[in-house]
Amino acid sequence: MNNLKKTKNSIRWVIALKEEAQVILDYYKLKPINEKTIYPIYKNEEETHWLIICGIGRNNAAASTAYLYAYSNASNYTSWINIGIAGSCKGNYGDLYLVDKISTYQKRKSTYPSTLPKATLPKMHLFTSDIPISDYSTYELIDMEGSAFFDIASKLTPKEFICLMKVISDGPEDNIKEITKSKISNLMKENLLKIIDVISYYERLSEEEFQIIDKPKLFNKIKSKWHFSATQSYRLENLLRRIEIFCNKKDIEKIIKNCETSNSVINVLNTKIKNNLVNWSKF
Amino acid sequence: MIETIYVEDAIQNHPKTKFILNKFKKSRIISINKYGEIFNKRNQNFRIQKANPCLILAHKKDNFVLPAPEGFGLGSSKNFYFSHMYNCIYDCRYCFLQGMYSSANYIIFVNFEDFDISIEKIIENNLDSKVTFFSGYDCDSLALENVTGFAKHILPIFRKYPQIEIEFRTKSIQKEPFLSVKPMPNVILAYSLMPELMSNSLDNKAPSISKRIRVISELASKGWKIGLRFDPLIHGKNWKKLYQELLENIYKNISLDCLHSVSFGTLRFPKRMFKDIFKLYPNEPLFTSPLSLNNKMISYDIEIEEEMTSYCKNLSLRYINEDQIFKCSI
Ligand code: SF4
């Protein structure tokens, strides 16, 4: 659990059943972690992808999402994915859908996940139920985990970093009792290319966010040379962000080279900004 | 292209809702209870949303017209504003809306009729005062005019009250609501401008300065009153030359008889707002400017502000009268 790598892109999967997850485990080369955990957890070698098998139901989905967050040290630029099978009155057996509205019996208010822009996949309204439903007539999509996953994930990360995808496995024409483990695996396999495509968007999103919030290049180097208080560190970070846009690393190092204290480093950097005449033709 | 439109249940059958939805036949429509379910949630990423905003159609309950903040007006004794929309289709890097809402989605309040009632009530209560209304404080007043038709809707009220002024402040090049009707001397079409070079980097998604000037010139030639808003004034290399070129280009290309007012405003952010905007866009050239904390506001130093304001004002005085020039202090 300790010594986790700080990775540029960061994906966390929450999936109810091993059969739903298998194709993801194989494609992203995720291996079980070497520790005993409450829920089975898998990760890839780079530690960019982590996956938890949560089991069926809202309680499991909520608990495992929070558990994976803590266990894998997920960041605020981590993308969270829930994928699995669902019943439907509307879509075709085997088709993959994005979810952009979630309702439950328990909560009066619905929730509204974002979906990736310009998605070619169709979207549907998900109803998360605590019991299997055989009357499909009222709902577009039915599952047993989605709402709880979204409620917890949206406390951990902005909703633009959360994605729910459902593959239709049962409906008025496809009896829920006929779902088998191998049918589930096949449904997921048949949609793998579409899933990978969606995930590449979330990998990119996470990486871009990382680039934006990552510390400026010289921050750690400067901090190791002078002693900065917490407030000074914050000012240093902001000044460096601004200066690195128009001044290269070498020049910055040169102007602070003779500073004796952290205060004088900040003063020198401040003066650099104060004297900057923005050259708008460059931007 | 707006991919998703959220519609409050209560206004699903409102004629304006139908009018707007008719323009987005390919969008996915999702029904919601209250717009706050989408708009006011805390855990949203404004920057990511801004790249692909959704539209929310909602019903506004109250506060249709509010007194304008101190420093917003142009010499009237009473100033009011109203916003039929929250957020903007443009993405100006200095825009205060970036630090104001947690969501970048656009809200359109479809119950225009309630705005009418509030506006007329204020007019009737202030018939003896010099009153100016400002349209679009929480948005650009005209940017989505082709979707909302709000300006077109509201103009007839002001035709009834020629002594009451209304200003539409904008960066858009929407001309239609004005070209199709007779000019009204109490309507000010106020355009925000800055040198093209700066605008290219700062006024993301907004029409270019040259396009804005062409529209200003056309509307002025038809007899509409024009306001020029150099707000914010932007500092940088060759700023004097850039502003001189801009001001002269405008003054030489529009009919000065139609010029209602010119105002200059400096770049200012409340400290908290600056922090939020900088966090969203830390790598933006705007933040390499010599901005620092002055009197609880992040701004250029007072010497820079004064030099820029008086330079532009003096240049303007070659073409217009002093009483046409104002200072924006908000
Ligand atoms: S046009 Fe106005 S409201 Fe719109 S983004 Fe620019 S500054 Fe903000």
Side-chain angles (χ1 to χ4, degrees):
Chain A
M1 207 157 144
N2 298 320
N3 301 324
L4 293 175
K5 292 175 201 164
K6 192 177 170 200
T7 58
K8 286 190 176 179
N9 75 59
S10 172
I11 302 285
R12 300 292 181 269
W13 301 80
V14 178
I15 300 182
L17 305 171
K18 178 86 186 287
E19 295 72 36
E20 292 169 317
Q22 195 57 56
V23 62
I24 310 296
L25 297 175
D26 295 343
Y27 181 80
Y28 291 99
K29 300 191 172 64
L30 311 187
K31 300 271 162 5
I33 55 158
N34 289 328
E35 266 181 72
K36 198 163 164 37
T37 50
I38 302 174
Y39 295 94
I41 294 179
Y42 301 77
K43 65 174 183 178
N44 63 354
E45 202 178 326
E46 301 79 26
E47 295 183 352
T48 50
H49 284 249
W50 293 68
L51 185 151
I52 193 162
I53 307 285
C54 68
I56 289 173
R58 295 192 320 129
N59 290 344
N60 275 328
S64 65
T65 304
Y67 186 67
L68 184 62
Y69 171 77
Y71 192 88
S72 67
N73 207 5
S75 62
N76 50 1
Y77 57 89
T78 295
S79 296
W80 287 83
I81 315 293
N82 169 242
I83 187 166
I85 55 169
S88 176
C89 65
K90 204 173 162 189
N92 297 324
Y93 177 83
D95 283 355
L96 180 68
Y97 287 85
L98 296 168
V99 172
D100 58 8
K101 179 172 178 176
I102 308 174
S103 307
T104 58
Y105 281 130
Q106 288 77 11
K107 286 206 308 189
R108 205 170 43 84
K109 284 185 186 164
S110 298
T111 48
Y112 303 89
S114 301
T115 50
L116 66 160
K118 301 183 183 78
T120 47
L121 287 178
K123 297 165 193 173
M124 274 199 194
H125 177 175
L126 174 71
F127 182 82
T128 299
S129 165
D130 283 339
I131 44 161
I133 292 180
S134 50
D135 172 14
Y136 296 90
S137 58
T138 345
Y139 310 110
E140 289 189 332
L141 285 172
I142 304 160
D143 84 340
M144 296 179 75
E145 294 82 28
S147 72
F149 161 78
F150 183 73
D151 288 349
I152 300 297
S154 59
K155 287 186 170 43
L156 309 173
T157 194
K159 68 175 195 160
E160 289 69 32
F161 290 82
I162 304 171
C163 173
L164 289 94
M165 286 180 271
K166 298 289 159 188
V167 182
I168 295 181
S169 58
D170 51 282
E173 310 289 310
D174 305 284
N175 194 332
I176 193 167
K177 291 192 179 124
E178 286 168 17
I179 300 177
T180 60
K181 287 182 178 179
S182 75
K183 271 190 180 171
I184 296 174
S185 292
N186 284 338
L187 284 173
M188 301 302 290
K189 250 186 227 158
E190 278 156 22
N191 283 293
L192 180 63
L193 287 179
K194 290 177 188 163
I195 297 168
I196 296 167
D197 197 39
V198 171
I199 297 307
S200 66
Y201 166 80
Y202 286 98
E203 286 176 330
R204 239 182 5 257
L205 195 69
S206 163
E207 176 143 6
E208 280 166 13
E209 193 65 14
F210 170 80
Q211 306 288 0
I212 289 171
I213 62 178
D214 194 25
K215 298 269 186 247
K217 290 186 203 99
L218 278 174
F219 181 74
N220 287 330
K221 192 167 176 192
I222 295 177
K223 266 197 74 170
S224 66
K225 278 200 185 164
W226 292 271
H227 174 73
F228 289 85
S229 68
T231 319
Q232 284 178 319
S233 295
Y234 177 74
R235 290 194 65 195
L236 174 70
E237 187 180 334
N238 284 345
L239 283 166
L240 282 173
R241 276 193 205 288
R242 294 167 68 187
I243 294 173
E244 281 185 357
I245 298 171
F246 64 93
C247 199
N248 66 38
K249 229 168 108 181
K250 267 195 187 150
D251 288 344
I252 300 173
E253 286 182 306
K254 209 157 113 193
I255 59 169
I256 57 170
K257 193 173 71 197
N258 298 324
C259 291
E260 288 187 353
T261 62
S262 51
N263 232 346
S264 59
V265 171
I266 286 177
N267 287 338
V268 166
L269 295 178
N270 232 337
T271 310
K272 181 82 187 160
I273 284 274
K274 281 236 166 193
N275 294 331
N276 184 40
L277 209 49
V278 183
N279 185 352
W280 292 101
S281 62
K282 276 193 176 171
F283 300 110
Chain B
M1 160 70 185
I2 289 175
E3 289 186 40
T4 305
I5 305 180
Y6 298 98
V7 182
E8 279 187 355
D9 293 331
I11 47 100
Q12 271 187 15
N13 294 318
H14 192 285
K16 189 51 85 176
T17 305
K18 291 182 179 166
F19 171 84
I20 294 172
L21 291 182
N22 207 22
K23 296 186 182 262
F24 297 99
K25 297 216 169 80
K26 289 188 177 155
S27 304
R28 177 159 162 82
I29 315 294
I30 300 180
S31 64
I32 56 172
N33 188 19
K34 290 271 174 285
Y35 75 82
E37 294 171 353
I38 308 283
F39 197 72
N40 298 342
K41 290 278 175 214
R42 272 179 51 237
N43 229 355
Q44 325 197 43
N45 186 308
F46 185 96
R47 186 174 33 75
I48 297 171
Q49 268 186 22
K50 190 75 194 171
N52 223 300
C54 303
L55 176 62
I56 303 169
L57 301 183
H59 177 264
K60 194 168 171 65
K61 282 210 295 270
D62 46 21
N63 295 330
F64 297 98
V65 184
L66 292 166
E70 198 85 9
F72 197 74
L74 299 169
S76 281
S77 57
K78 292 190 177 173
N79 299 296
F80 298 92
Y81 75 91
F82 47 83
S83 301
H84 65 295
M85 203 179 149
Y86 288 168
N87 275 333
C88 183
I89 59 169
Y90 307 137
D91 188 15
C92 306
R93 197 45 66 239
Y94 47 83
C95 179
F96 75 97
L97 294 174
Q98 302 167 108
M100 191 138 107
Y101 303 122
S102 50
S103 171
N105 293 328
Y106 319 135
I107 300 185
I108 298 173
F109 296 108
V110 297
N111 48 326
F112 294 179
E113 60 280 2
D114 292 321
F115 285 89
D116 303 352
I117 295 167
S118 291
I119 292 168
E120 295 216 57
K121 206 159 153 191
I122 287 181
I123 294 176
E124 294 296 341
N125 288 341
N126 290 283
L127 284 174
D128 298 332
S129 315
K130 185 164 169 17
V131 176
T132 304
F133 287 87
F134 294 86
S135 175
Y137 179 72
D138 303 292
C139 61
D140 180 292
S141 65
L142 298 174
L144 263 191
E145 178 63 19
N146 57 344
V147 171
T148 67
F150 184 75
K152 201 178 179 107
H153 170 90
I154 215 87
L155 278 175
I157 296 185
F158 291 89
R159 200 176 284 285
K160 282 197 283 182
Y161 302 98
Q163 78 282 20
I164 306 290
E165 283 187 336
I166 174 163
E167 173 171 317
F168 292 95
R169 196 169 288 191
T170 191
K171 288 194 179 82
S172 90
I173 49 172
Q174 298 280 341
K175 302 179 282 188
E176 162 40 31
F178 308 108
L179 287 184
S180 58
V181 295
K182 247 176 69 193
M184 297 159 59
N186 57 332
V187 174
I188 307 145
L189 307 179
Y191 289 84
S192 304
L193 299 154
M194 67 175 59
E196 191 98 59
L197 196 65
M198 295 158 171
S199 174
N200 288 344
S201 163
L202 294 170
D203 293 349
N204 303 312
K205 302 184 190 167
S208 68
I209 296 294
S210 49
K211 281 190 182 152
R212 281 180 239 172
I213 294 176
R214 271 205 296 278
V215 168
I216 295 172
S217 165
E218 188 180 345
L219 289 166
S221 72
K222 299 274 186 243
W224 287 94
K225 289 273 176 250
I226 300 296
L228 302 175
R229 307 287 171 251
F230 300 96
D231 180 16
L233 291 168
I234 299 291
H235 192 254
K237 197 173 171 196
N238 297 330
W239 69 266
K240 282 189 178 166
K241 185 171 164 275
L242 293 169
Y243 273 97
Q244 182 180 357
E245 281 167 6
L246 173 69
L247 290 164
E248 288 180 347
N249 180 11
I250 296 172
Y251 292 135
K252 285 178 182 161
N253 281 296
I254 66 169
S255 140
L256 293 179
D257 294 342
C258 286
L259 203 54
H260 171 273
S261 54
V262 174
S263 59
F264 300 104
T266 51
L267 181 67
R268 279 165 182 233
F269 301 95
K271 195 178 160 197
R272 172 84 232 173
M273 186 178 284
F274 181 84
K275 203 174 153 192
D276 290 344
I277 300 176
F278 181 61
K279 209 169 145 191
L280 285 170
Y281 303 99
N283 303 323
E284 283 287 324
L286 180 64
F287 303 124
T288 66
S289 304
L291 297 165
S292 56
L293 186 62
N294 302 296
N295 272 335
K296 294 188 186 154
M297 297 293 257
I298 303 287
S299 64
Y300 297 131
D301 283 349
I302 187 83
E303 298 77 37
I304 294 183
E305 286 185 347
E306 278 175 359
E307 190 190 7
M308 293 191 78
T309 311
S310 60
Y311 177 82
C312 292
K313 185 176 168 183
N314 289 336
L315 239 156
S316 300
L317 283 172
R318 292 186 202 157
Y319 300 88
I320 57 172
N321 299 323
E322 177 125 33
D323 61 2
Q324 288 176 286
I325 300 179
F326 296 88
K327 194 173 171 205
C328 307
S329 51
I330 190 158

